[in-house]
Structures are given as C-alpha cells and as structure tokens.
Amino acid sequence: MSKLFLSGNEAIARGAYAAGCHVASAYPGTPSTEILENIAKFKGEINCEWSVNEKVALEIGIGASIAGARALVCMKHVGLNVAMDPLMTYTFEGTNGGLVVVSADDPGMHSSQNEQDNRVLQRFARAVTLEPSDSQEAFDMARAAWDLSERTGSIVFLRMTTRTSHSSSLVDVGDGARGAVEPKPYVKNPKKYVSVPANARAMRFEVEKRLEVLRQESEASPFNREEPGERTDFGFVASAAAYNYVKEAFPEFPVFKVGFSNPLPAERIRAFAAKVGALVVVEELDPVLRDAIVLAGIPVRDYATELRMMELNVDRLRALRRELLGGEGAAPAPEKPALPALPARPPTLCAGCGHRGVFYTLAKLKATVTGDIGCYTLGVAPPLSSMDTTICMGASIGAAFGMRKAGYKGRLAAVIGDSTFFHSGMTGLLDVVYNKGAITVVVLDNRITGMTGHQPNPGTGRTLLGEPTVQTSIAEVARALGVKRVHEVDVYNLAEVERVLKEELDCGEPSVVVAYGSCVIAAKKAVGAVPHAVDPAKCKSCGACFKLGCPAIVRGEETAPGRFRSKIEPAACIGCDVCAQVCPFKAISTTKE
Amino acid sequence: MNETTNVTLVGVGGQGILLTADVLARTAAEAGLDVKKSEIHGMSQRGGSVSSQVRFGARVHSPIIPEGETDLLVAFDAVEAVRAFPSVRPAGRALVDRCYLVPITVSSGLQPAPEDPDGALARLYGERLLRVDSRALAAEAGNPRTANMAIAGALSRLLPFPEEAWLSALRGRLPAKLVDVNLRAFALGRAALA
Ligand SMILES: Cc1ncc(C[n+]2csc(CCOP(=O)(O)OP(=O)(O)O)c2C)c(N)n1
C-alpha cells in the first residue's frame, strides 16, 4: 500500500485497526471526535459506540479490557476530568486486554472552555504517555500501544492536541491489514479486579513495580530518539507538535525527540545532555518533561520567553531563538501597510436555529441564565446576550441552584442542551428536586449533539452505526426523577414559549421545560426553499427582528438616521417564522403561495 | 532559500475551503512531495471564518505557516483576503474571489461595513493580486456548489503541478456522481486564469 494522506485522528483509527482493537467507545469533543467516526467505518470488526459521557466510555473500555479485549476510549481534554474516577482505580488493578485512551488537548482553546495539560493527569494516574508529532507517529504509536499495555499491565495514553489531531500528513500504513488478535480469556480474579481496601493495598505496590517496568520500556522505546545537529552549544528536548517547531526554528541543533514521555527516558536524556552545551526543553503547555528532567538531576537551561500558555508555533520558537542566540538569525520585521478596519466574523446560531427564540424570550423575561456547553453557548453573543455563566458540561443546573441558595431572588433558568443533559445534567436535576430547588431547567432539545458535528445521542433514536434504538424522552426522565412541573414546548411557537417560561420561572418550585426543535443542519432543513420576506410597506424600521441576531435578517434601506428597514436574505432563510412572530407590525410573512 | 511552499486558504464556513485544501494537499502528494495540511474547524458550520494551511516541499516539519510567510493566499472572500494580508510574504501572491459575504456583525448593524474591500485589496497586494469569479464559473459549470473547484482550477495555474495530478486528487476526493460537474468547474477556473 502506498502512503496515505491522513489526519492524526484518521491515523489513530487506522492504527487501532492494525493493532486488532476490538471495542471502542467515546463521547464527542473537539478535536477528538473524528477518531470514533473513522473507527465506525470498521463496524463488524470493531464494536463501537457513542457513550453518554466520558466516564461511561472509560468504564466500557475497562470492562472490555477485563474481559480480555483490546479497548480504545477517546475524549477531549476536559473529558478526562469526567473520567478520572474509573481511571484512578483501574490503574491499580491493571489491564488484561490492552486499554488505550486518546486524550486530546486543545492548546490555545480553539474550541474549548479551558486549557489544561492532561499529561499531568496521566502522570498522576501512573499511566503511559505517548506523544505523536504527526500522523505517521499517531499511526505507529497507536499500532504499538496495545502490545505495550498488555505487556506491562498499564493504561496507555495517546496525547493528541488540536494540531496533531487536525493536521494531515503522509502515512505509511504498511499493508493496512487488520491485526489478527484474539481477545485474551477472561479469568475470574477478585484479588485483581475487586479493589476493596485489602486488595487495593496489595495493588498499591504493584502500581509502583509496574512503573519501574515502564521506565525500562521508555529507555528502550524507539519513539525516543536522538537526532544529530551541526552545533552542540545547545541541545533540545521536545515532544509532540513542539518537536516540529523546534526542527524548523533550530535546524542546526541536535534534538532529543521524546515520543514515550511518561515515564521519562531519563538515562537517555542524561546521555544526550552530556553531549551538548546546555539542554533546552520545549513542550506545549505545562513543564511536564522539564520538571521530570530536573527531578532526575539533569540540569536544564530555563528561559524567559513565554512558552507555557496557548498553542506554540514557529514564530514563538524564533523568539526563544533570539533569547538563546542573541540577534543571530533574527530577521527584521518588514514594514507592512496598515489594514482598514474590518468587521469581525464570529460564529453565530444558524438561521432558523431553534435555540434563538428561547434565548430571545429569556432575555425579554429578564431571566438570569446559567448556561452550559454546546451550540447554544452562542446565546451569550449580542444581540441575544442572554447567558450569564458557562462552566463545564452539566454545570448550568448546579450553578443555578447554588445561586438560589446564595439568596439570589430573580428569575433563574438553567439552559442546557439535550446531549449535555444526558451527559451530566440528569444528576444535577435530581439534586434540585431532592433538595427542593426553585429553579427552571430549560432543555434545548434538538435531538442531536450539534456543536461537535451532529453525533447521535440517547434522544436521537439511532446509534453511532445508524441503527434504530430507543429514543429517551427528556420529559419522562424529568418526571421519573420526581419533577412535578414538566412542560414540552415547540421552540418555533414563541407565544407558547413565552407563556410557559414566564409561568415556570415564577412558580417557586423545581420545573423543567423541554424546548423541542430539531437541529437545522442535522435535519437538513431546506435553506432558501420557502423563505420569509419583509414587506417594506409595513416595516416601520423598529429593529425588533434585529434583536434575534439571525444571519438571514439584514439591514435594508435607512429610513431615518440610524434606523433601518429589515430585509431577509432568501438564500439564507429556512422560514422558521420566529421573526414574523416577533414583528409588531406583521411586516414579515412567508413567501409560500 | 525557500524550500517549502506555503499556501493559506481563507474564507467563511460552508464555502468548501477544507475540501479545496485537501485536494491541493493530495495533488502535492501525487507530485511526490512531502506535504502537511492544517485546519481549524469546530465553529466552521456556523458562519465563522475558516482557514486551512498547506505546506509542501522536500521535507515539511511544522504544519502551520509562520506569520508573514505565506507564498500564496487563496481567499474565497474579499474581506477575508484583506484580513489575511499580514500572513502573506512581501512577494507573495493572492488569488482572491470576487465574493464578499456580509458578516452578521455588519448585516445586524453592530459594526460598520468595510470600506471598499476591492480597493483595499488592490492597494495592499498591487500586482500580486489575481481575481477570480468562482460563482459565475460554477453557474456556468452547472452547479453553484462547485465554486470551490473553480477556484482550485485557477489555483492550478499558479502552482507547478501537472494537471493530471490535480485531476486525480480531485477524483479521489469527490463522490462519483459529482465528479463530472466539478471537473467542468475546475476546467473553467483553469481557463479563467490562462
Ligand atoms: C466533558 C466535555 N466533553 C465534551 C465536550 C465537547 N462538547 C462541547 S458542546 C458538546 C455537546 C453539545 O450538544 P448539545 O448539548 O446537544 O447542544 P447543541 O450543540 O446540540 O446545541 C460537546 C460534546 C466538552 N466541552 N466537555
């Protein structure tokens, strides 16, 4: 097979296939999502699913590993926070079938709510960290990961980043064939798999013994290698994407490329350090390698150039180069003509998105909105401007209840998406009913996981592989949890949305409003098929429809200074009718005959 | 000493930028070069700016292009081409579509409309500016959704790859029933920059 042009995520899926992976589970999250979507192409050979959250995904991987299968679990960086609990104990118990976890960090927060270096958590969990620099390494490391996990009994992490996941490069996948690996037998062994204190105390020593074996693995690993350079006054230690930038910004220097980064190949780095003047460590985010090297008693050359926050790139390493080498090689910045002022192009809720009318109404009702994570977080942007807080998935509910407990008297709504509700909203809601919280939980139910690219969830009615399955009703879940006041509304009926929200926000009891409207993109609603239009004779330039922030509604004629008629871009409108309902002058209507 | 060629593609979500970047990268690979492509998606379907970078040469390390080192900018939107100006080398060229999609910030009146983007482009890029009207070409090809392949056709004039490499990359990336119309758009784009 000749070389394939693959993204890091596609390469992992191929590597897992080549390694004979049997079971794969994940919860979507940028930049990790496409791994499982590519694994799904191997259905029949790899049993795969979208799990409801990362903790469950990891527990499925653990169960599969206990049963002897080779398991893969994928998540974005914050997903590992959710999955820490099973991780921290299974690392004690040790694998049977190999367990490989992909944890994808997002340096620079291209599409995340925070920045965190999960290598810290991997070290904390005494797991192996492999850090690919490109798609070839993503493939090679994935292919090697299960053998390593089974040989050592350890959980193996592939630490991806947005850059390594979403960059593509050429990959030699060998013959591309499926690894013919039979699952190991399951052998009942409570001393290994039941971590009651008596067993856990024995395991505690096993974990440390395993770490010693892992250190030897790291020292011998082909993923750690020295690359010579013409100059030796400095030598670089670098991993992952940072390695690429070092090669480009410091082409004449030797590099110790760390691929197997936890545990650290300390002796090989010590030997490398002996050959160079000063050892400079470059890595993305926290000083994980640097601290481990210093702890091993190897002196490093620290620097003042800021490289510990946000995504690295060649430019930032050139700044380091100027610090280390003085003016040498620094190019003078060329004069550039000034740019005219340019309008920003932020992401917005789609034209016709059902979330819009709910935010419009909540703003109208002057509710304080604790928000959550999904497309609907865009409700924070003007002109809707109707979100007060966003923390992590599921936090809207606890945060609203906490505000209430703190004595906040105003209208309080927790707004959460359907996928987020199933992920970690249900437990928060149970807490609210149990403890008699007077807040309203609004579930924006578009029956899909929109933000991450429309993955099905338990409310969709089909699985990852497109098979029909149960369609869990959020209203029924709420009732089963004990919520007495549960309403379902159609997001495109604004009068109903307003009537119900007003009543619920003021009811003084736990209440749930499921606001249903399928996702415009996922349901492939026909954009431009039967658009609405503004009748210029009736439009009074009042600007009410502009408050919706719909991309299909644009400024038309200026009727007085600063006052504009509205106009609807027919090619962008799906005819959702929300603007027509907002218009006080009935100037907007469908173009349908 | 410019061994790696750096191409930056910019535009707005939904314009087919990522597919075009992919076809370009596969063309470079077909031509036997090392190639890396980088992109940031995530919010792209929701009207935000989208960009992709393709680098090719004997050996490419970083998938991202250092600031100000783009050799060739391919802009699917005129305002995005103005915005991307600092990323282009002093001698770098820009292939810019006639299209200007009004950002929501402007249509809703939150920010003023950009003043004369075409004039700004001419002033900034001077003789290094090439324009193409991909929407007209796509209409001529028979499907408005092939505008991106019309741009690819124009782009093919500016890069040293044999036409056959482009066509093979394009065929490899499109569903069979869409190949013909896209090949037509590609040919029209290629002719437009002759
Ligand atoms: C713990 C965690 N896992 C995954 C993500 C990535 N993520 C962001 S939003 C989202 C899902 C949103 O889906 P939904 O709640 O249905 O809202 P929609 O986008 O459809 O409006 C996911 C999976 C995350 N931010 N945190």
Side-chain angles (χ1 to χ4, degrees), chain A residues 27-29 54 76 78-79 82 113 355 373-376 393 417-420 423 446 448-452:
Chain A
Y27 183 71
E54 293 86 353
K76 75 179 278 154
V78 285
V82 178
Q113 69 263 36
H355 300 343
I373 307 210
C375 286
Y376 52 93
M393 288 189 79
D418 51 332
S419 189
T420 306
H423 177 281
N446 59 8
I448 206 83
T449 312
M451 184 73 170
T452 44

Side-chain angles (χ1 to χ4, degrees), chain B residues 115-160:
Chain B
E115 264 174 56
D116 185 21
D118 290 334
L121 283 173
R123 179 172 62 80
L124 291 168
Y125 292 99
E127 285 173 4
R128 300 177 287 123
L129 178 67
L130 299 150
R131 300 301 300 262
V132 56
D133 188 350
S134 69
R135 285 184 297 185
L137 296 169
E140 198 179 332
N143 183 340
R145 309 206 54 158
T146 61
N148 58 340
M149 286 306 118
I151 292 179
L155 174 61
S156 73
R157 287 279 181 197
L158 306 175
L159 294 170

Side-chain angles (χ1 to χ4, degrees), chain A residues 39-361:
Chain A
I39 290 276
K41 295 175 185 164
F42 305 122
K43 64 180 172 196
E45 291 174 288
I46 302 179
N47 182 321
C48 53
E49 70 159 49
W50 285 128
S51 306
V52 295
N53 68 28
E54 293 86 353
K55 179 173 183 285
V56 176
L58 183 54
E59 287 155 355
I60 284 167
I62 288 171
S65 163
I66 290 172
R70 294 193 152 190
L72 171 68
V73 184
C74 310
M75 59 193 70
K76 75 179 278 154
H77 66 322
V78 285
L80 191 57
N81 303 338
V82 178
M84 277 311 276
D85 207 1
L87 176 67
M88 293 308 292
T89 297
Y90 196 54
T91 196
F92 270 46
E93 299 184 353
T95 63
N96 179 31
L99 176 59
V100 175
V101 182
V102 181
S103 159
D105 289 358
D106 188 12
M109 296 161 279
H110 293 285
S111 39
S112 303
Q113 69 263 36
N114 77 352
E115 184 177 80
Q116 61 180 54
D117 190 330
N118 279 10
R119 294 177 305 165
V120 174
L121 299 179
Q122 291 147 27
R123 191 168 64 175
F124 181 48
R126 290 158 171 78
V128 173
T129 303
L130 302 178
E131 294 189 61
S133 292
D134 60 16
S135 300
Q136 182 70 61
E137 280 195 336
F139 175 81
D140 293 341
M141 288 179 179
R143 192 170 49 179
W146 278 272
D147 281 344
L148 176 60
S149 174
E150 288 176 5
R151 204 160 61 232
T152 62
S154 297
I155 301 165
V156 175
F157 276 81
L158 289 170
R159 189 239 191 176
M160 300 300 284
T161 61
T162 302
R163 206 50 72 176
T164 49
S165 278
H166 285 170
S167 296
S168 301
S169 52
L170 294 165
V171 182
D172 180 352
V173 297
D175 62 5
R178 168 105 174 120
V181 181
E182 282 302 311
K184 295 162 95 179
Y186 166 65
V187 183
K188 185 172 169 128
N189 184 355
K191 281 204 159 11
K192 178 169 165 61
Y193 297 122
V194 180
S195 88
V196 291
N199 293 342
R201 283 191 282 267
M203 293 172 197
R204 182 69 190 84
F205 292 88
E206 286 305 310
V207 184
E208 296 310 305
K209 272 193 222 152
R210 236 180 264 135
L211 262 185
E212 198 37 54
V213 174
L214 290 178
R215 277 188 199 102
Q216 290 158 23
E217 288 275 353
S218 180
E219 296 290 353
S221 172
F223 298 129
N224 296 326
R225 61 169 192 266
E226 257 180 57
E227 294 179 1
E230 294 152 20
R231 285 174 68 163
T232 52
D233 40 340
F234 291 106
F236 289 82
V237 176
S239 69
Y243 160 81
N244 299 320
Y245 311 140
V246 167
K247 291 297 279 187
E248 196 157 326
F250 297 93
E252 71 274 50
F253 289 92
V255 180
F256 191 92
K257 157 90 168 83
V258 185
F260 189 137
S261 74
N262 189 59
L264 186 78
E267 294 320 310
R268 288 182 63 193
I269 292 177
R270 200 185 308 282
F272 176 73
K275 295 180 221 165
V276 299
L279 197 67
V280 183
V281 185
V282 181
E283 59 196 312
E284 212 156 38
L285 301 186
D286 289 352
V288 176
L289 292 174
R290 183 254 174 218
D291 289 357
I293 291 170
V294 170
L295 268 177
I298 305 166
V300 304
R301 163 76 152 87
D302 282 324
Y303 41 83
T305 306
E306 208 307 295
L307 297 183
R308 287 184 186 176
M309 284 186 284
M310 312 296 284
E311 188 177 22
L312 294 184
N313 55 41
V314 175
D315 298 298
R316 297 180 68 186
L317 290 206
R318 286 181 183 160
L320 173 64
R321 187 179 173 101
R322 285 191 290 279
E323 178 185 336
L324 295 178
L325 305 177
E328 237 182 295
E335 284 275 315
K336 287 264 185 183
L339 294 190
L342 293 174
R345 207 185 279 282
T348 36
L349 293 174
C350 301
C353 175
H355 300 343
R356 178 172 285 110
V358 175
F359 283 118
Y360 173 86
T361 308

